[in-house]
Amino acid sequence: MSGVAQVIIAIQGVYKAFGAQEVHKGVELQIYRGEVMTILGGSGSGKSVLLKEVVGLVKPDSGSILLFGEDIVPLDEKGLFQVRQKVGVVFQSAALFDSLSVFENVAYPLTEVRGRSSVEVRPRVLERLRWVGLGGAEGKFPSELSGGMQKRVGLARAMVLDPEVILFDEPTTGLDPSNVRNINELILRLNQEQGTTAVVVTHDIASAEAVSHRWALLKEGRVESVGSPDELKRSTNPYVRRFIEGRLSEEGGES
Ligand SMILES: Nc1ncnc2c1ncn2[C@@H]1O[C@H](COP(=O)(O)OP(=O)(O)OP(=O)(O)O)[C@@H](O)[C@H]1O
Ligand SMILES: [Mg+2]
């Protein structure tokens, strides 16, 4: 991050309930252009729902979400389509098309959404697959891959349009240590070399330290604390301390 920090995502006063369950009760969070922000929080604290709100897959009950300065909450599907061209998402579950090959899954945003020709698409898709360590797997189908490999295909797909912002929902969960390292390095490389802004949800505090400029900790529907990893580790807020110490001692296990 350099220069004057520019807000690329502003989450303002977001409320969301599913029936009687209030998941977000006034979430406030700003994400700066060029940063890697990690969202932490217990299981069920609303991390995945927050990412879905940022790309308009879940509508908040109230509040606004400014993406590149525009509130996306009131947008219809057509408006959201434009937004999603600039924001890549890696979902918690890989969310691949089972009937499409790995190549076709990764190419999908280019061919189906942007209508690009296959000559243009092929080298780009193969390069993204190499980035996630899946060079040579382009002819396989999702059912032939391990969960971790499927996840990496989802990652390659999120990167195929070179979006300005990528949201990663637990990108390293279920991967072996060497792939965890590779994915963390990839997030850093995208951030440092292409200036990609990244929002990462993770349970893995070591990965969170490796990749992020700032952490935000969700608690009971709000952002309890936000700051650099060092600031949060030195926090005097008892909840923040307990959360981080707990995660450090269990080395990134489930909450
Ligand atoms: N579409 C939905 N309908 C009803 N409830 C939902 C829906 N999506 C999420 N929830 C509920 O909202 C809460 C927050 O879910 P969310 O998936 O954001 O949690 P999370 O912080 O990502 O948890 P985890 O770390 O386990 O992935 C959960 O209690 C979940 O059951
Ligand atoms: Mg989740």
Side-chain angles (χ1 to χ4, degrees):
M1 269 194 303
S2 63
V4 178
Q6 190 187 0
V7 175
I8 195 163
I9 303 173
I11 298 164
Q12 300 174 333
V14 164
Y15 284 77
K16 178 69 192 176
F18 294 104
Q21 189 193 3
E22 295 178 280
V23 176
H24 293 145
K25 298 187 277 189
V27 177
E28 302 282 341
L29 185 63
Q30 296 195 328
I31 290 148
Y32 301 123
R33 184 180 294 272
E35 82 169 324
V36 181
M37 163 68 85
T38 290
I39 314 258
L40 299 168
S43 188
S45 63
K47 304 179 299 294
S48 294
V49 171
L50 193 63
L51 294 191
K52 287 176 188 163
E53 285 168 334
V54 169
V55 285
L57 290 169
V58 169
K59 288 264 184 212
D61 299 329
S62 62
S64 52
I65 294 176
L66 306 182
L67 251 178
F68 314 105
E70 180 188 20
D71 188 1
I72 64 141
V73 175
L75 293 182
D76 59 12
E77 274 306 311
K78 200 165 149 235
L80 288 172
F81 180 81
Q82 301 297 332
V83 167
R84 289 180 196 139
Q85 302 291 295
K86 293 192 276 186
V87 182
V89 192
V90 183
F91 293 103
Q92 189 164 356
S93 59
L96 303 177
F97 300 108
D98 293 332
S99 60
L100 300 183
S101 69
V102 165
F103 181 90
E104 289 164 332
N105 264 285
V106 176
Y108 191 84
L110 282 165
T111 52
E112 300 303 312
V113 182
R114 286 226 180 137
R116 297 293 175 82
S117 72
S118 56
V119 181
E120 196 186 341
V121 167
R122 189 163 182 85
R124 180 175 269 262
V125 168
L126 297 182
E127 182 185 45
R128 298 305 181 281
L129 283 170
R130 275 198 306 277
W131 285 1
V132 297
L134 286 176
E138 63 272 10
K140 292 195 185 303
F141 282 82
S143 60
E144 300 174 87
L145 304 178
S146 70
M149 290 167 89
Q150 291 182 17
K151 189 140 213 169
R152 287 183 282 146
V153 175
L155 221 76
R157 183 175 59 188
M159 294 186 295
V160 83
L161 293 180
D162 285 331
E164 283 178 59
V165 179
I166 306 188
L167 315 178
F168 297 90
D169 199 344
E170 303 199 16
T172 57
T173 304
L175 303 186
D176 60 53
S178 98
N179 276 309
V180 168
R181 257 194 321 277
N182 287 344
I183 296 307
N184 287 339
E185 278 165 16
L186 183 60
I187 294 172
L188 274 175
R189 195 150 50 89
L190 284 171
N191 177 253
Q192 288 166 358
E193 292 174 13
Q194 314 206 25
T196 309
T197 304
V199 184
V200 184
V201 166
T202 187
H203 284 276
D204 173 4
I205 211 95
S207 291
E209 277 211 86
V211 303
S212 32
H213 298 101
R214 293 195 301 155
W215 289 352
L217 176 60
L218 288 180
K219 179 200 173 200
E220 291 168 12
R222 294 192 190 83
V223 175
E224 176 74 7
S225 191
V226 56
S228 69
D230 276 344
E231 281 166 348
L232 263 69
K233 284 195 293 186
R234 289 196 306 259
S235 173
T236 53
N237 176 321
Y239 182 81
V240 175
R241 292 194 76 89
R242 236 180 312 132
F243 184 89
I244 292 172
E245 280 161 15
R247 283 296 156 84
L248 284 170
S249 66
E250 67 190 46
E251 293 178 338
E254 278 299 297
S255 57

